Amino acid sequence: MEDLVIRDADVVDGSGADSYRADVVVDDGRIVSIVREAAAAGCQRPRATRELDAEGLVLAPGFIDMHAHSDLALLRDPDHSAKAAQGVTLEVLGQDGLSYAPVDDRTLAEVRCAITGWNGDGDDIDFDWRSVGEYLDRLDRGTAVNAAYLIPQGTVRALVVGWEDREATPAELDRMRQLVAEGLEQGAVGMSSGLTYTPGMYAKDAELTELCRVVASYGGYYCPHHRSYGAGALEAYAEMVALTREAGCALHLAHATMNFGVNRGRAPQLLDLLDEALDAGADISLDTYPYTPGCTTLAALLPSWASEGGPEAVLARLRDDTSAERIRHHLEETGSDGCHGVPVEWDTIEISGVSSPELASHVGGRVDGWETARRLLLADRLGTTILQHVGHEENVRAIMRHRVHTGGSDGILQGTKPHPRAYGTFPEYLGRYVRELGVLSLEECVAHLTSRPAARLRLADRGLVREGYRADLVLFDPLTVAAGSTYDSPRRLPTGIPHVLVDGRFVIEDGRRTDVLAGRAVRRTPAP
């Protein structure tokens, strides 16, 4: 007898097609049969060891978070309700060009310091890996949800070139190409960049194009956090489109927003740019989160020249009054490239987390000027995270309607007061933007969160409710599903999502986290 039958569910299968009532049978981690209500009339209904009454619930494929920062959280927190409770069954890690593989001992120490604000220092983690394959093997020991990995271009550059602002030598470029190829062979699904973060931002387009050619040869995709989301944002998007078309590489635009005052109401211009490229044959997708503020580290706002040489060099410049005044000038007057070419408006910067407990009183407050920011950066050794209130609701809504849009939380779980997107992105889409605002239909929205990302990841058996597909599934109440997280209470779990299955096993059951660790690394089989 099969393991489970989910009885009388309203199936929204991820394709975008209309929902239908059905019994769905799961066995050995896969969907083995789907019996529609009409077909079941007058026939014996399927039986299983366990039956779950899903009357009034929507059954959908598990949600795929296309932009996650759970690289260490999946290892340190077996519960991981931040994502599991949202119905997320797969996260894509290695984002924004900075993560923890491939590394050597030196690079690992530098990266740990550079992205403490994203993931914590990692003192509680046994870094028993150095390669991409070894990191994926570590995930295979069992995690709350599944995870795929992008090779972080900034980490690769730090490993080969260092943190200097210079062009790579031919030998260094060859070595970077080799590392990217090795990571893809070991199971990575593509490559990411953080082109407002050092050292990835020091790479010129020619260097990035060469690495993207390697990614393309393995059927992977390039996921850039491009060079600006503020002044010059459209030019930065156009640069990525042109670069990947030159390389013949698929492009996935990370957290594709149009922020700051200079971009209010300009989302249609971005979408026109993308439509023109798509109509000409480009392979493009994008992800967004359904909120207006962004989230990053306070150190990320600094101009690139101030970050050259790595974290210790940054701290030395901050201690030096002359260098600090030069940084202030770029931040407040000319517009730092770290702040997307826009002069920083301190009243938009909210402290969301600190690494040092002695600085906890700053969390939730606004930065009142450069000297406060400077003191925080030094005292917290660059570990401070921030919310940046610079987005526009009309842009958010326009972009989420686009034909290649997918969902990504960009969820940073670190800090006392993280962005609520970390705990609320997917129910926020379903509750606010589907049920309350009608920006998307339920069927459209589920497709954005399931089959579209699965297609980008080239996963042949995920992202749809289909016979033979993996039983990564979510059941939610369309009348009550909502994000519990708010800016004041960002770790509150969502409502209206009683059941989540990974590989056919309940990780959320009756609204509570079980002890199941069914998640594994999701590798792409290389196809040179």
Side-chain angles (χ1 to χ4, degrees):
M1 184 176 288
E2 281 76 17
D3 296 333
L4 171 70
V5 57
I6 302 170
R7 184 84 70 202
D8 293 320
D10 292 320
V11 177
V12 178
D13 67 5
S15 70
D18 291 343
S19 64
Y20 58 88
R21 179 68 65 91
D23 295 345
V24 177
V25 183
V26 173
D27 188 58
D28 196 25
R30 293 190 179 269
I31 300 167
V32 295
S33 69
I34 301 171
V35 181
R36 298 201 183 208
E37 184 178 49
C43 301
Q44 183 176 357
R45 302 183 73 179
R47 299 289 181 183
T49 302
R50 175 176 178 183
E51 296 189 7
L52 175 65
D53 181 4
E55 181 72 36
L57 297 179
V58 168
L59 173 66
F63 304 135
I64 298 176
D65 188 342
M66 285 297 287
H67 193 106
H69 289 284
S70 304
D71 307 50
L72 299 185
L74 273 173
L75 303 179
R76 70 160 59 93
D77 177 20
D79 182 79
H80 203 50
S81 288
K83 294 301 179 67
Q86 293 185 60
V88 171
T89 58
L90 171 60
E91 299 183 277
V92 184
L93 313 177
Q95 300 287 349
D96 294 331
L98 288 168
S99 189
Y100 306 94
V103 292
D104 57 14
D105 291 350
R106 169 190 63 82
T107 309
L108 176 60
E110 292 168 344
V111 169
R112 286 176 62 182
C113 182
I115 55 175
T116 293
W118 293 355
N119 299 305
D121 176 74
D123 284 340
D124 53 343
I125 300 293
D126 178 10
F127 288 91
D128 59 352
W129 69 86
R130 292 297 180 268
S131 70
V132 170
E134 289 168 347
Y135 176 68
L136 296 179
D137 289 344
R138 177 68 179 276
L139 296 174
D140 274 339
R141 298 179 195 176
T143 53
V145 302
N146 298 306
Y149 189 73
L150 295 165
I151 301 163
Q153 170 260 331
T155 298
V156 169
R157 196 171 212 274
L159 177 58
V160 176
V161 180
W163 297 74
E164 290 74 40
D165 184 2
R166 65 173 177 84
E167 291 189 21
T169 67
E172 288 169 337
L173 182 56
D174 283 344
R175 177 58 179 149
M176 286 191 284
R177 280 193 290 244
Q178 180 184 5
L179 286 169
V180 171
E182 289 173 356
L184 290 160
E185 289 169 358
Q186 292 164 10
V189 295
M191 181 180 76
S192 75
S193 283
L195 300 180
T196 65
Y197 301 126
T198 57
M201 69 190 305
Y202 299 141
K204 301 293 191 293
D205 283 3
E207 178 180 315
L208 296 172
T209 300
E210 287 303 307
L211 298 182
C212 283
R213 292 188 198 280
V214 178
V215 174
S217 72
Y218 285 88
Y221 69 92
Y222 181 44
C223 179
H225 165 126
H226 51 277
R227 299 191 192 273
S228 176
Y229 290 84
L234 288 173
E235 292 80 2
Y237 282 112
E239 175 192 10
M240 294 298 99
V241 170
L243 185 156
T244 49
R245 296 203 71 185
E246 171 68 21
C249 186
L251 172 64
H252 181 83
L253 295 165
H255 37 60
T257 57
M258 293 287 286
N259 289 339
F260 303 92
V262 295
N263 288 318
R264 183 181 295 276
R266 298 185 71 191
Q269 295 177 55
L270 167 61
L271 302 180
D272 286 346
L273 184 158
L274 299 181
D275 282 334
E276 182 179 353
L278 287 162
D279 291 344
D283 185 356
I284 300 173
S285 56
L286 58 87
D287 66 68
T288 70
Y289 46 84
Y291 299 89
T292 53
C295 179
T296 187
T297 61
L298 184 58
L301 306 184
L302 301 178
S304 57
W305 63 264
S307 298
E308 185 178 2
E312 291 304 324
V314 179
L315 292 167
R317 292 186 182 101
L318 289 168
R319 294 186 194 101
D320 178 72
D321 288 342
T322 301
S323 296
E325 170 55 24
R326 186 181 170 204
I327 293 171
R328 183 208 64 78
H329 175 78
H330 279 259
L331 278 171
E332 295 185 343
E333 298 181 33
T334 63
S336 161
D337 50 2
C339 194
H340 307 278
V342 177
V344 66
E345 296 176 346
W346 292 114
D347 62 353
T348 69
I349 308 298
E350 178 184 358
I351 303 301
S352 61
V354 292
S355 295
S356 173
E358 291 78 14
L359 301 171
S361 62
H362 290 275
V363 174
R366 300 291 172 125
V367 177
D368 59 10
W370 163 241
E371 285 305 323
T372 298
R374 180 188 179 190
R375 287 194 298 271
L376 270 173
L377 287 165
L378 285 168
D380 211 23
R381 290 187 57 80
L382 312 181
T384 305
T385 52
I386 61 171
L387 300 186
Q388 203 166 6
H389 296 267
V390 293
H392 308 289
E393 179 67 18
E394 66 270 34
N395 287 347
V396 170
R397 296 189 193 189
I399 294 169
M400 74 169 63
R401 293 188 186 101
H402 195 264
R403 53 178 160 151
V404 298
H405 170 266
T406 68
S409 70
D410 197 11
I412 294 174
L413 301 170
Q414 195 68 17
T416 305
K417 194 179 179 186
H419 196 305
R421 69 192 186 194
Y423 285 73
T425 285
F426 295 87
E428 182 77 354
Y429 269 118
L430 296 169
R432 176 167 166 75
Y433 288 91
V434 172
R435 184 180 64 245
E436 296 177 7
L437 299 176
V439 175
L440 295 169
S441 72
L442 180 59
E443 289 84 356
E444 287 174 324
C445 186
V446 168
H448 289 214
L449 307 181
T450 59
S451 64
R452 285 190 189 178
R456 167 51 70 217
L457 295 167
R458 299 190 177 182
L459 303 177
D461 59 355
R462 300 176 196 265
L464 292 167
V465 178
R466 290 280 192 276
E467 292 181 357
Y469 274 56
R470 289 187 177 271
D472 294 346
L473 302 167
V474 56
L475 289 112
F476 62 90
D477 183 343
L479 301 180
T480 64
V481 62
S485 60
T486 65
Y487 292 101
D488 290 331
S489 300
R491 296 185 189 276
R492 189 181 295 156
L493 295 179
T495 58
I497 305 179
H499 304 292
V500 181
L501 294 87
V502 173
D503 201 35
R505 300 167 66 192
F506 285 90
V507 296
I508 300 291
E509 186 173 9
D510 295 323
R512 295 180 177 86
R513 179 71 173 93
T514 70
D515 60 1
V516 168
L517 296 176
R520 298 293 186 269
V522 173
R523 296 169 171 84
R524 175 180 291 152
T525 302

